Amino acid sequence: MRYPHETLIADAHDRRGVRRRDREWLDARWQAPDSRVLVVSGTRVRPVDGALPWVPTDEAPAGLRLLLGERAGATWWAVIVDPEVAGAEPEQWFPLRGLLPFLGEDDAAAPLVFHALGMAEWHWATRYCPRCAGALASRSAGHELVCEGCGKVQFPRLDPAVIMLISAGEPGSADERCLLGRHPAWPEGRFSTLAGFCEPGESLEDAVRREVAEETAVAVGEVSYFGNQPWPLPSSLMLGFHGRAVSEGIDLVDDELADARWFTREAMRAEAEAGTLKLPGGVSISRSLIESWYGGPLPGSW
């Protein structure tokens, strides 16, 4: 079974990391007629006619060039320009979350877009050297920033986040149930898997246990890895897990959740069909975790 979140990462491009400092190769590929560029204004892109525009390099504006890599025999780039480029028509330029509707479930360019916007977010957030506050200069085709004062090199940062489907009861039985939560900002009926960021010095499995306990007071025992999804919104790597509860009493001990419930498969299907339960969208690893536990596709989504 191919899970929903895999559609956005199934056709990964060759990032050509070994070529990022090869100026002769970079110049030759930039001039190649089949090379294509995604123009990013700060951290935003402007769709055209319902699609993301990949333009020839001779139509790209001046800006910071990011080598994304090669796919289908062509070289792909992003060019980051000043945010003021989108200033006159801000409603027509979208951040990555707003671009998801323009990425079809089988869109082979999705990994390129995630790469481009993730890098753009890193450049946007990394303005000064954290050691001496000096100015930073881009190198390695946009994938490194070096301080012009002390020489410290900065690399793109990712925030590891665990996302988990916690279950209880006899596995595979009609009574087996899974734990979902509702964020305070969400409307009634919208539920998802629990998630949280990994802390320094903490294993991923312990992060799963801690986050579930902090949010719901449910204790988790066995934890098993499911899969991962790059989620540069703005800089997360979602690491998916299944976990088995060793207690089931729910106590919303902090303000992270407005509600949390156990759902059997029958209740989940019935409420999803009725529209009273709204589950995450099809491209998210949260949806994949839920459907892997349920055993197949479910109706409806956010």
Side-chain angles (χ1 to χ4, degrees):
M1 175 179 176
R2 182 177 179 178
Y3 291 108
H5 78 283
E6 294 175 325
T7 60
L8 291 185
I9 58 175
D11 190 19
H13 51 289
D14 181 348
R15 297 183 176 229
R16 304 296 279 171
V18 298
R19 293 291 195 178
R20 289 172 181 166
R21 295 195 184 188
D22 187 337
R23 177 51 54 190
E24 183 177 348
W25 184 89
L26 292 169
D27 288 343
R29 294 313 303 155
W30 180 262
Q31 296 168 15
D34 57 353
S35 290
R36 290 295 180 269
V37 180
L38 184 69
V39 178
V40 183
S41 175
T43 61
R44 294 172 175 258
V45 173
R46 180 183 181 182
V48 176
D49 296 328
L52 301 188
W54 293 88
V55 301
T57 54
D58 59 4
E59 296 181 16
L64 175 63
R65 293 182 190 176
L66 298 176
L67 171 67
L68 302 179
E70 294 186 330
R71 183 178 63 80
T75 307
W76 302 75
W77 308 75
V79 168
I80 303 176
V81 297
D82 193 279
E84 292 182 359
V85 171
E89 302 170 318
E91 73 283 353
Q92 298 183 27
W93 293 76
F94 295 86
L96 182 52
R97 190 176 296 276
L99 296 174
L100 293 179
F102 298 96
L103 296 174
E105 289 195 358
D106 295 315
D107 194 334
L112 291 162
V113 176
F114 271 43
H115 186 178
L117 272 293
M119 292 298 299
E121 289 281 0
W122 175 63
H123 278 275
W124 177 255
T126 312
R127 304 296 187 90
Y128 304 100
C129 174
R131 175 185 288 169
C132 72
L136 298 172
S138 175
R139 70 180 188 187
S140 195
H143 288 74
E144 295 180 16
L145 292 170
V146 60
C147 178
E148 295 178 339
C150 69
K152 182 176 176 61
V153 180
Q154 300 296 313
F155 299 93
R157 293 292 188 263
L158 289 177
D159 301 317
V162 292
I163 184 166
M164 43 277 183
L165 192 290
I166 306 302
S167 58
E170 183 66 25
S173 70
D175 188 51
E176 188 184 16
R177 47 215 171 271
C178 75
L179 179 64
L180 301 179
R182 183 172 68 82
H183 190 275
W186 295 348
E188 290 290 335
R190 178 181 291 186
F191 281 80
S192 183
T193 50
L194 307 186
F197 289 100
C198 186
E199 295 185 348
E202 183 177 47
S203 72
L204 297 171
E205 292 82 0
D206 283 341
V208 169
R209 299 181 182 104
R210 175 184 54 78
E211 286 288 346
V212 175
E214 288 179 355
E215 295 186 2
T216 66
V218 170
V220 175
E222 178 185 354
V223 174
S224 59
Y225 178 71
F226 171 76
N228 69 85
Q229 181 179 36
W231 199 244
L233 299 164
S235 58
S236 297
L237 174 64
M238 305 302 294
L239 301 153
F241 293 87
H242 284 286
R244 295 292 296 172
V246 296
S247 72
E248 297 184 47
I250 295 174
D251 182 9
L252 304 182
V253 292
D254 58 21
D255 297 327
E256 290 289 325
L257 297 177
D259 193 9
R261 290 172 51 193
W262 292 101
F263 291 85
T264 64
R265 291 180 177 84
E266 181 181 358
M268 180 178 287
R269 177 193 54 77
E271 292 191 42
E273 288 178 348
T276 55
L277 173 62
K278 298 177 178 62
L279 297 170
V283 297
S284 71
I285 193 171
S286 179
R287 181 76 176 207
S288 296
L289 282 163
I290 293 170
E291 292 191 347
S292 72
W293 173 82
Y294 177 77
L298 282 158
S301 68
W302 298 353

